[in-house]
Amino acid sequence: MAITAEYIKDKLTKSVGAIHVEVEDTSANRCSTSFKVLVVSSQFDGKSLLQRHRMVNSCLAEELKEIHAFEQKTLTPEQWEAQKAK
């Protein structure tokens, strides 16, 4: 199965209870080997950055075997609102 930005978005939304997910295919020719994601979830409350990234990586463990580069930003809803207000 081809890994698409939409597939990653759906999986993260369901797995980590994300209220907002942005996924960008950053591959040079959009060949789905490099992605940049922003994930906003209340499940990140009280978690360190490393714990948040591990949650995302666990969710996408199988997919990451096929992805060459994966950049992620993980925020709580409060952090997301503060960032939008800047």
Side-chain angles (χ1 to χ4, degrees), residues 55-66:
M55 289 171 68
V56 170
N57 290 347
S58 292
C59 168
L60 299 174
E62 288 302 310
E63 293 78 8
L64 289 174
K65 293 176 184 176
E66 313 220 1

Side-chain angles (χ1 to χ4, degrees), residues 6 8 11-12 17 19 22 24 27 37 42 44-45 48 53 68 75-76 82 84:
E6 192 61 35
I8 291 172
K11 190 160 186 185
L12 287 170
I19 60 167
E22 294 175 15
E24 178 185 353
S27 310
V37 301
S42 59
F44 297 149
D45 283 330
S48 70
H53 285 201
H68 174 72
L75 301 173
T76 65
K84 288 192 311 184

